[in-house]
């Protein structure tokens, strides 16, 4: 039997977010907290393993485990024990673990739809609303650093449950803004002072946990904060990221939590401190690539960068941890669930391997029986707070920020409109966009990038009314509709096939087959796009725009894998009669000029093309 010889592993599981308070005298302080501060998310994004396992009840069982383990608190609502049952006396139920567990319950509920799961989350929320300082010391609400986001998320997932968001906004956000939050003997604090207390609550040995403490605050302040509060939260989250050192414990969890928190709030960042391991990397995407150095062969993430020095004498499973892997999964999903899909699936596979017969998750595998053999998940390392964090990581889906700001410079410019249009055409540098770039280009949030999105970005830059990429997206703003299709074929010199919004006329010219594509009379055409699938043995020669569209602000075409993509947009335009979009010219190596073309994916003002 091997014992854990690495202190960085021994210290790995800790409680969820700093509570800024002296503990009540009767409260039991889990995990040896310091005297002043208690240590305390397009569709299915992952692979077939996750889909199969979810259907088998893994998330359901984990949520049930938390429900079955809840404990009544002294002031109301429910909490969870530390780390697992039995429940302590109500007055000793930790006030800082229910936030991460509750966040997990809410994400779990979004998958299971279980009534008992949402009720349990609201019981946690009731505890968050009632937990206060002793009345003789001011009676102000007592919040751990993950609590505001948790209360906001209750209302986000249950819109009728408005009291939780209102409580966090009034009793926490507004109180901080007005400088009236906290105990009368140690406070009150304003926003800056409160965040400084969070920062100072971690000594040098725990400096890497500061990123964990600030992970959910940027999103909470974005959603509920007053002027300036979100910026302060971001500044502290960035500083905590820069504060990470690979010579200290939690050196992988720190950057994973920092990346997850910043990316979830739609903030990119390049680390600035020369002493932190990711200094010099240009953005969070590159930071994720660096973070993958801590992913072991089993898919899990190690608590320390030097895990390869101990592998394979110690198995990859034994070297990996549940909590750090959960935050690495969330970080990868928040930054780019497309490009990191394989790594996400591998990490989720490891997390599910930690599930215990009771539905919870072990924090680690047990000791190796022999070198390189992983053993089994160790039930003595189960922690209900971490169970919630693992649930949240497995079910979490990032917010698609349809901002219109594509190139990442922080300002909407003509370059963003051009970038959105290039993405539609499949042209460099956006032929293979990152997740956040695609969503930024998808201005109206309908799940596809079209010339209409580019038009909205361009018009918003110019200040035209009625064009916006504001979140959340109003489905009524959508300029893209269902795709249509038209087939054009035959040997005759002039085969005309008309229907709906397009007319295509086929003709021959200088040994080439020419397809003239017209937009039929419309009162207003500001943006259009369609695709033409070229015949298998045809060679594309050219696509020449008609005179009217050649003068449009943006128009273009591109051939991608034997498909011609055509589009354009103009802010102010009116068409009368049938107007030539352009002419497609193709040749045939086999000399056969009886090809069939297929026009599809009609979008924006020429959508819903039908042929009868």
């Amino acid at each position: 039997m091997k014992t854990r010889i690495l202190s960085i592993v021994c210290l790995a599981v800790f409680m969820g977010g700093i509570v800024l308070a002296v503990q009540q005298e009767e409260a039991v302080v889990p995990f040896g907290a310091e005297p002043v501060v208690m240590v305390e998310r397009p569709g299915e994004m992952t692979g077939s393993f996750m889909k199969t396992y979810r259907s088998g009840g893994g998330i359901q069982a984990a949520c049930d485990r938390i429900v079955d383990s809840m404990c009544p608190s002294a002031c109301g609502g429910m909490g969870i024990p530390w780390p697992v049952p039995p429940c302590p006396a109500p007055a000793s139920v930790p006030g800082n673990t229910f936030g991460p567990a509750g966040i997990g319950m809410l994400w779990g509920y979004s998958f299971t739809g279980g009534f008992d799961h949402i009720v349990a989350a609201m019981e946690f929320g009731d505890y968050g609303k009632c937990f206060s300082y002793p009345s003789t010391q001011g009676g102000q609400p007592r919040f751990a650093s993950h609590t505001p986001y948790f209360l906001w998320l209750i209302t986000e997932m249950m819109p009728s449950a408005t009291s939780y968001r209102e409580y966090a906004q009034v009793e926490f956000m507004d109180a901080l803004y007005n400088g009236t939050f906290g105990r009368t003997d140690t406070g009150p604090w304003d926003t800056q002072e409160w965040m400084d207390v969070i920062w100072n609550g971690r000594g040098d040995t725990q400096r890497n946990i500061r990123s964990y403490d600030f992970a959910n605050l940027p999103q909470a302040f974005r959603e509920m904060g007053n002027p300036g509060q979100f910026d302060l939260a971001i500044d502290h989250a960035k500083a905590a990221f820069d504060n990470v050192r690979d010579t200290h414990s939690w050196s992988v969890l720190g950057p994973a939590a920092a990346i997850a928190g910043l990316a979830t709030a739609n903030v990119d960042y390049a680390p600035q401190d020369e002493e932190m391991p990711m200094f010099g990397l240009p953005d969070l995407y590159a930071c994720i690539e660096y973070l993958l150095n801590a992913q072991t062969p089993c898919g899990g993430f190690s608590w320390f960068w030097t895990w390869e020095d101990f592998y394979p004498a110690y198995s990859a499973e034994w070297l990996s941890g549940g909590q750090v892997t959960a935050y690495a999964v969330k970080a990868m999903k928040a930054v780019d669930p497309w490009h990191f899909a394989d790594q996400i699936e591998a990490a989720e596979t490891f997390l599910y391997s930690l599930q215990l017969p009771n539905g919870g998750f072990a924090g680690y595998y047990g000791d190796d029986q022999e070198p390189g053999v992983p053993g089994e998940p160790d039930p003595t390392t189960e922690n209900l707070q971490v169970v919630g964090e693992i649930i949240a990581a497995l079910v979490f889906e990032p917010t698609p920020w349809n901002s219109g700001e594509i190139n990442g410079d922080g300002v909407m410019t003509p370059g963003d409109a051009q970038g959105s249009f290039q993405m539609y055409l499949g042209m460099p540098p956006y032929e293979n966009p990152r997740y956040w770039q695609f969503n930024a280009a998808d201005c109206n949030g309908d799940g596809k990038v079209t010339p209409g999105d580019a038009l909205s970005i361009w018009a918003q830059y110019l200040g035209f009314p009625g064009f916006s990429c504001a979140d959340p997206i109003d489905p009524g703003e959508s300029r893209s509709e269902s795709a249509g299709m038209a087939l054009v074929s035959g040997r005759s010199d002039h085969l005309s096939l008309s229907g709906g919004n397009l007319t295509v006329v086929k003709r021959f010219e200088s040994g080439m087959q020419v397809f003239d594509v017209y937009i039929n009379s419309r009162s207003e055409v500001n943006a259009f796009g369609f695709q033409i699938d070229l015949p298998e043995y045809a060679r594309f020669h050219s696509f020449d725009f008609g005179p009217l569209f050649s003068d449009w602000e943006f128009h273009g075409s591109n051939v991608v894998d034997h498909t011609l993509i055509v589009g354009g947009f103009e802010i102010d335009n009116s068409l009368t009669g049938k107007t030539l979009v352009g002419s497609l010219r193709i040749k045939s190596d086999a000399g056969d000029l009886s090809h069939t073309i297929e026009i599809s994916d009609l979008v924006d003002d020429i959508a819903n093309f039908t042929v009868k």
Side-chain angles (χ1 to χ4, degrees):
M1 297 287 287
K2 294 189 178 73
T3 57
R4 294 189 184 276
I5 60 173
L6 302 169
S7 61
I8 194 167
V9 176
C10 297
L11 296 172
V13 177
F14 56 94
M15 301 186 72
I18 285 183
V19 168
L20 302 177
V22 176
Q23 289 293 300
Q24 300 182 45
E25 291 183 0
E26 68 273 22
V28 174
V29 182
F31 191 65
E34 297 178 0
V36 176
V37 226
M38 188 168 73
V39 182
E40 310 212 34
R41 159 190 129 49
E44 193 75 55
M45 296 180 301
T46 54
S48 59
F49 176 88
M50 174 101 171
K51 296 176 184 177
T52 301
Y53 199 99
R54 281 193 186 181
S55 65
I59 300 297
Q60 174 81 37
C63 291
D64 291 345
R65 167 64 170 164
I66 294 179
V67 171
D68 294 341
S69 306
M70 294 174 68
C71 306
S73 74
C75 66
M78 302 281 277
I80 55 171
W82 174 269
V84 291
C87 288
S92 299
V93 175
N96 55 352
T97 59
F98 67 82
I103 292 169
M105 289 296 294
L106 289 169
W107 281 109
Y109 165 75
S110 73
F111 171 73
T112 68
F115 179 72
D116 54 339
H117 298 157
I118 190 63
V119 169
M122 290 191 288
E123 289 277 11
F124 285 150
D126 291 340
Y127 184 26
K129 291 195 298 181
C130 78
F131 203 118
S132 301
Y133 295 109
S135 58
T136 56
Q137 296 181 346
Q140 290 293 328
R142 175 179 179 273
F143 271 55
S145 57
H146 293 271
T147 306
Y149 172 76
F150 164 57
L151 294 180
W152 168 82
L153 192 60
I154 296 177
T155 302
E156 181 73 5
M157 292 196 176
M158 285 286 290
S160 61
T162 59
S163 65
Y164 300 97
R165 174 178 177 139
E166 290 171 355
Y167 186 90
Q169 193 154 14
V170 173
E171 301 294 339
F172 179 70
M173 300 289 180
D174 292 352
L176 286 175
Y177 189 69
N178 295 322
T180 59
F181 180 82
R183 286 172 44 165
T184 56
D185 57 342
T186 58
W189 300 303
D190 61 19
T191 309
Q192 177 70 56
E193 292 167 335
W194 183 80
M195 291 185 183
D196 287 345
V197 173
I198 291 180
W199 185 279
N200 295 330
R202 299 293 184 186
D204 181 69
T205 59
Q206 294 185 338
R207 62 186 300 153
N208 290 340
I209 309 179
R210 288 171 178 153
S211 291
Y212 174 89
D213 295 330
F214 283 98
N216 284 319
L217 285 174
Q219 182 73 343
F221 280 102
R222 173 185 281 279
E223 299 295 342
M224 299 182 292
N226 296 288
Q229 289 184 314
F230 173 69
D231 291 337
L232 281 173
I234 289 298
D235 288 345
H236 281 75
K238 290 178 178 178
F241 192 13
D242 282 334
N243 185 72
V244 168
R245 298 291 183 267
D246 58 5
T247 54
H248 289 60
S249 300
W250 303 288
S251 59
V252 178
L253 177 69
I259 295 168
L262 290 169
T264 301
N266 196 35
V267 175
D268 203 358
Y269 187 58
Q272 301 296 305
D273 194 307
E274 294 183 3
E275 294 186 45
M276 75 93 62
M278 296 180 183
F279 173 73
L281 299 180
D283 51 29
L284 293 182
Y285 186 96
C287 290
I288 288 289
E289 293 181 317
Y290 187 98
L291 187 70
L292 292 175
N293 290 316
Q295 190 168 27
T296 71
C298 72
F301 280 73
S302 171
W303 285 94
F304 49 97
W305 298 108
T306 58
W307 64 269
E308 289 180 311
D309 294 343
F310 305 92
Y311 175 81
Y314 293 84
S315 68
E317 290 82 357
W318 189 84
L319 291 165
S320 303
Q323 190 178 39
V324 64
T325 302
Y327 274 89
V329 166
K330 187 175 180 182
M332 290 187 290
K333 287 182 176 181
V335 171
D336 200 320
W338 297 347
H339 288 77
F340 299 114
D342 291 342
Q343 293 87 347
I344 291 170
E345 182 172 356
E348 288 176 335
T349 301
F350 169 74
L351 289 175
Y352 276 121
S353 77
L354 291 170
Q355 193 154 33
L356 300 168
N358 64 16
F361 292 94
Y364 306 99
Y365 271 73
D367 290 349
D368 297 314
Q369 301 303 306
E370 59 184 84
V373 177
E376 298 292 335
D378 184 354
T380 66
T381 63
E382 182 188 14
N383 178 289
L384 293 177
Q385 171 198 309
V386 177
V387 171
E389 291 172 325
I390 291 175
I391 295 171
L394 291 168
V395 186
F396 169 77
E397 295 183 0
T399 299
W401 295 97
N402 309 106
S403 63
E405 210 291 283
I406 298 164
N407 56 21
D409 62 3
V411 182
M412 190 176 292
T413 66
D416 295 308
Q418 182 180 24
S420 179
F421 191 51
Q422 289 171 320
M423 196 177 299
Y424 166 72
L425 293 176
M427 297 179 64
Y430 298 109
E431 73 275 25
N432 187 28
R434 294 179 183 176
Y435 176 80
W436 70 268
Q437 290 173 325
F438 178 89
N439 286 298
D442 179 21
C443 183
N444 61 21
D446 64 355
K448 51 190 172 183
V449 175
T450 73
D453 295 308
L455 170 63
S456 294
I457 297 170
W458 176 237
Q460 185 172 343
Y461 164 73
L462 294 176
F464 281 77
F467 295 91
S468 173
C469 291
D471 287 305
I473 294 296
D474 179 358
E477 295 178 6
S478 176
R479 301 176 61 86
S480 300
E481 304 174 35
S482 301
M485 180 181 298
L487 294 176
V488 184
S489 62
R491 290 180 175 275
S492 64
D493 289 344
H494 296 281
L495 173 65
S496 176
L497 181 60
S498 303
N501 303 326
L502 285 185
T503 295
V504 181
V505 178
K506 176 183 174 181
R507 58 188 174 87
F508 298 98
E509 178 183 280
S510 302
M512 287 185 288
Q513 192 170 198
V514 181
F515 294 90
D516 296 322
V517 184
Y518 296 85
I519 291 181
N520 296 331
S521 178
R522 291 287 301 275
S523 59
E524 182 177 322
V525 176
N526 297 104
F528 73 92
F530 56 85
Q531 296 185 9
I532 300 178
D533 288 336
L534 303 177
E536 183 177 356
Y537 298 106
R539 286 191 294 118
F540 171 75
H541 180 270
S542 64
F543 185 87
D544 301 316
F545 278 90
L548 181 105
F549 293 101
S550 295
D551 292 334
W552 275 29
E553 289 157 321
F554 286 89
H555 64 279
S557 64
N558 187 38
V559 176
V560 179
D561 296 333
H562 230 61
T563 296
L564 174 69
I565 306 172
V566 179
F569 62 90
E570 170 82 12
I571 290 178
D572 186 16
N573 187 62
S574 179
L575 301 179
T576 57
K578 188 166 66 175
T579 305
L580 177 66
V581 177
S583 301
L584 166 66
R585 289 174 170 80
I586 59 176
K587 293 182 177 181
S588 173
D589 290 334
D592 183 3
L593 297 180
S594 61
H595 296 305
T596 296
I597 67 169
E598 180 180 295
I599 301 179
S600 64
D601 293 337
L602 281 68
V603 294
D604 301 324
D605 291 333
I606 61 167
N608 293 327
F609 180 90
T610 58
V611 178
K612 297 181 180 179

